[in-house]
Amino acid sequence: MRRYAAGFGLLIVTLAAAVPQAQETDRARVFYNMANSLGMLRTVREVDSVMTVEVWGRGTIRDVAANGALGPETQVKSLYAQFAYDFPGMRVEVVRTSGQRTIEVVSGTYAWNEIDKLGGGLEPGYGSATPAMDQVAVRLLRMWMTPFGAVKAARAAGDQAKVTVEGGRTVVTFPLVEGKPEQTVYMVVGELKGTPMKMTLDDRYRPAQVEVTFRGRKYVNTYSNYGDLNEADLKADIFVPAHVVATVDGQTALDLTIDKTNTYNPYVIMPVPPAVLKTR
Amino acid sequence: MKQRMVIGIGAFVTALTLTSAQIAAQFGGPPAPGAAAMKEAASRPTPKRPDGVPDFTGIWVQTRSRAASVPAALDTTTGSYKNVLQGRTGNPVDFERDSGVSQRVVPREARPWYKPQYWERVQFNDVHGHSAKAPDPEFLCMPPGVPRLGIPQEIVQTDRHMIFTYPLHIRRIYIDGRDHPPEEQWLGTWLGYSVGRWEGDTLVISTVDFNGQEWLGWPGWFTSPDKKVTERMRRVGNTLTWEAEVSDSLLLQPWKTGPVTRMLDANPRPEIEEPLPCVERDLQHIVTRERG
C-alpha cells in the first residue's frame, strides 16, 4: 500500500515536471523554455541550433500585397518553403490547384520572385528572377513571425523583451531589433526595426499566437498541433506546428496544414540574383 | 566520422576509469595550450632553410586543449563525461540527433554556394550520407580529399618537395618549379596533383586532377573532377596557419575554408601514434537516416 502511495506521488511529481505551467515571468527562464520546447537548444551546451528548415504543406492562401491588402483565396495543391535564419532568408514555392506556380524569396533586404525554377536567375539560362523589392518588409515579417523566427527575434531583443501573463498564458512582447552579420542568427528586419511583436505561448512555452501591427494592418499567426513532422526515419526532436493560420486584419490569408518537415538544418541558400542586386 | 566515434568511445571509457583528480589534471589543469601559448609560439624566430624559405618541417599540434574543446561535457567535481556521447538528456538517441542537428550548423559564408541545379543533390546526399544511396565517401573509409583533409599533422620539407602526413593519408607537394601535368595526363585521384610556390614567406599550393568522388564536407557537399584547390600556408615563429579556396564548376563562387592555426610540437623528441585503421562495418546496420 505504501509502495502504491509512493508510486502515485511519484506519478504526480513526474506529471508536474513534464507539463510546465506557462505562467513563468522570469525572462531568462521563458527564453530558455520556449527555445527548449521547440527543440532548438542542442548539444550539452544547449545552443540554438535550428538555422535552416524545409516545410511541405497544403491548404488555402491569399496573396498579401506590400500594403497588406489581400487577394482572392486559392487552393494550394502544394507548398514548399525554405527558411534560413542565418542568411537570413525565406523561399516559398506555391503550386495552386489551378496549376499556377509562384516562388517568392526574401534574402536580407532583397526580395524577388523566381520564375520556372528554384534559384532562377542565379545562373544564365536557369530560370529567371523578377525583383519584388516592395515586398521585402512583408516577407521578412512572415519569416520572423514563424515559431522559430519569433523565438529567435525575442531572444535577440534581450532586455527589451517583456514577459507578462495574460489569461493564464505567458506573453512575450518585444521590438524587432536589427542584428549583425557576424551573429549566427542574423536578424535583418529592415523597415520592421522597432516594430513591436507580441507572442503568446501555449502551456509548453511554444508560440501559440504571434501578432504584429505594421503599416496600419494587424498580422496574426496562430500555431497549433505541434509535433516532430520529419519523416519517420529522420526524427530530430524539433517541433513544428502542423496547423498554421495567418490573418491580416482578421481575414484569413493562409490556412496551412504542414505534412512534412526537414529540421536537420538542410542545405538551403538564398544568394541574391545579379538582376535583383542591380535594383539597388 | 567512424574514427571520431572510436576516439570518442575510447575517451569515454578512459574517463570512466579515471578519478576526478586524474581527469582534472589531464584535461582541466595547466598547461592548456591556448591564446597565450599561441602568442608565445608565434613570437619565436621563424626557422629558414639554406635557400631562405621558411622551414615547415615538424609535427603540428592542435592549439585547443581538450578541456577547451568540451568544457560543458566534463564535470570536474565528479569526473563525469557521460554527456559526451549521450547528449544533453542522457539518451543515446538524443546524442545522434543532437549531433546531427548541430553538425549541420554552418554559417552561411562557410557553406559552399552550389549552383541551383545542384541543390537537390546536396540535400539528397545530406540525408542519405550514411546509406548506400549516397554514402559520404569518408564514411566508407575512402580518402577525404583536399581540402577536407585540412592542415597536415606532420610536414617533412626538402628543397624539391614537401611530404604532408595526416592520420592514414599522405600527400606530396612538389616545390621544384614544375607545373601541373597537362590535363590529358590527369588520372583522377582522391588527393590530386599538388605543386607549390613561394609568395614571400607564404607557400601557395595549387592542386588539380581529382576524381570528383570526394566531398568538401559532411553535409553532402559533393565535388566534380573540375575542382581546383589553392591552399595557403604560412609559418610565423612556431605556428603554422593553413587556409584553402576551392573553385569548381558546381559552385556559384569559390568556397573558402579556414584559417586553421597549429603550433609546433615543443617536445624535442615528438612522436605520432599509429592511427587506428578505418574499416567500414556500419552501413548495413543503419536503419534510419539520422546521423550525427
Side-chain angles (χ1 to χ4, degrees), chain B residues 136-190:
Chain B
D136 178 351
E138 194 180 28
F139 186 72
L140 300 180
C141 297
M142 294 293 108
V146 179
R148 196 175 178 184
L149 271 170
I151 189 169
Q153 188 176 33
E154 182 176 21
I155 296 175
V156 178
Q157 182 173 345
T158 74
D159 293 338
R160 301 182 61 192
H161 69 323
M162 288 186 165
I163 307 296
F164 287 5
T165 74
Y166 309 80
L168 298 177
H169 299 290
I170 188 166
R171 288 173 68 199
R172 287 171 183 80
I173 288 82
Y174 301 105
I175 55 172
D176 55 3
R178 75 180 73 181
D179 291 326
H180 296 129
E183 196 167 342
E184 60 270 19
Q185 293 178 18
W186 289 6
L187 302 172
T189 61
W190 287 97

Side-chain angles (χ1 to χ4, degrees), chain A residues 152-166:
Chain A
K152 289 171 190 291
R155 287 161 63 98
D159 293 347
Q160 298 181 65
K162 292 183 173 57
V163 179
T164 56
V165 175
E166 293 181 14

Side-chain angles (χ1 to χ4, degrees), chain B residues 64-77:
Chain B
R64 293 182 69 189
S65 68
R66 288 288 301 275
S69 297
V70 284
L74 174 65
D75 181 344
T76 53
T77 60

Side-chain angles (χ1 to χ4, degrees), chain A residues 61 74-80 92-96 99-104 142:
Chain A
I61 196 168
T74 55
Q75 291 288 320
V76 175
K77 181 180 175 186
S78 66
L79 178 144
Y80 168 60
V92 182
E93 177 191 37
V94 174
V95 179
R96 292 162 175 80
Q100 184 196 12
R101 181 188 186 212
T102 55
I103 305 170
E104 299 181 351
R142 279 156 58 189

Side-chain angles (χ1 to χ4, degrees), chain A residues 36 41-46 49 54 86-87 91 119 123 181 231 233-235 237 264-265 267-268, chain B residues 69 71 83 88 94 97-98 101-102 104-105 108 111-117 119 123 288-290:
Chain A
N36 190 44
L41 306 180
R42 308 312 287 245
T43 76
V44 290
R45 300 178 196 198
E46 300 194 313
S49 300
E54 288 176 286
D86 58 348
F87 235 84
R91 175 181 282 112
E123 269 281 282
E231 291 177 291
D233 63 346
L234 198 62
K235 295 296 184 189
D237 297 330
Y264 266 109
N265 287 317
Y267 181 79
V268 169
Chain B
S69 297
N83 281 337
R88 64 199 180 98
D94 293 338
R97 291 177 181 175
D98 271 15
V101 171
S102 60
R104 290 180 174 93
V105 176
R108 62 189 172 279
R111 298 203 280 273
W113 288 13
Y114 284 86
K115 293 176 180 175
Q117 54 268 45
W119 292 350
Q123 292 173 337
T288 79
R289 287 179 291 157
E290 298 168 18

Side-chain angles (χ1 to χ4, degrees), chain A residues 172-279:
Chain A
V172 185
T173 311
F174 54 94
L176 290 167
V177 299
E178 190 77 30
K180 295 175 181 171
E182 63 269 23
Q183 293 169 324
T184 309
V185 176
Y186 181 21
M187 290 290 303
V188 171
V189 296
E191 283 182 62
L192 300 166
K193 185 178 178 181
T195 302
M197 182 175 276
K198 179 182 177 183
M199 178 165 45
T200 304
L201 305 178
D202 68 11
D203 60 359
R204 291 180 182 269
Y205 292 95
R206 301 170 301 200
Q209 186 165 290
V210 180
E211 300 174 42
V212 172
T213 298
F214 177 64
R215 291 178 181 161
R217 293 195 186 266
K218 188 175 183 181
Y219 297 82
V220 179
N221 285 10
T222 305
Y223 303 110
S224 56
N225 299 348
Y226 276 90
D228 183 341
L229 304 181
N230 283 8
E231 291 177 291
D233 63 346
L234 198 62
K235 295 296 184 189
D237 297 330
I238 292 172
F239 302 97
V240 173
H243 190 206
V244 177
V245 177
T247 64
V248 180
D249 288 340
Q251 298 183 71
T252 301
L254 176 75
D255 190 325
L256 183 70
T257 298
I258 297 177
D259 299 312
K260 188 176 79 170
T261 57
N262 179 0
T263 53
Y264 266 109
N265 287 317
Y267 181 79
V268 169
I269 61 170
M270 282 108 179
V272 183
V276 180
L277 277 173
K278 282 181 192 166
T279 60

